[in-house]
Amino acid sequence: VRGRKVTVRIDARDGVGPLMRAEYSLDGGDMMPIAPEDGVLDGPGERFTIELGELGSGTHLLSARVRDEADNDGHGQTQIVVR
């Protein structure tokens, strides 16, 4: 967090096969696709960086979801507090 600009890094890993899809939602909004840092979503482990820009004061909820080639989903959430 720099001022009100927020950057989030996510590491996702599947124990068997490659990840096929990744997306995030902020404060319950629509899911948005995320591209991995290496530009190709093709491995069992990927790192993602999300630039959320400036957020208003208060608590925000970031949800992320990844899907592997067998259509298994993994989910995670975190709260971001901006003062």
Side-chain angles (χ1 to χ4, degrees), residues 6-66:
V6 176
T7 301
V8 177
R9 288 210 170 90
I10 299 170
D11 289 312
R13 180 160 297 284
D14 186 84
V16 179
L19 300 174
M20 303 302 290
R21 188 160 124 190
E23 49 197 3
Y24 79 96
S25 171
L26 183 65
D27 295 332
D30 292 337
M31 295 301 275
M32 304 293 292
I34 317 167
E37 287 186 358
D38 68 3
V40 181
L41 188 57
D42 62 352
E46 299 283 357
R47 174 171 275 184
F48 304 90
T49 298
I50 305 168
E51 301 282 346
L52 296 175
E54 290 197 21
L55 298 179
S57 296
T59 301
H60 301 274
L61 181 65
L62 178 79
S63 301
R65 176 172 61 202
V66 293

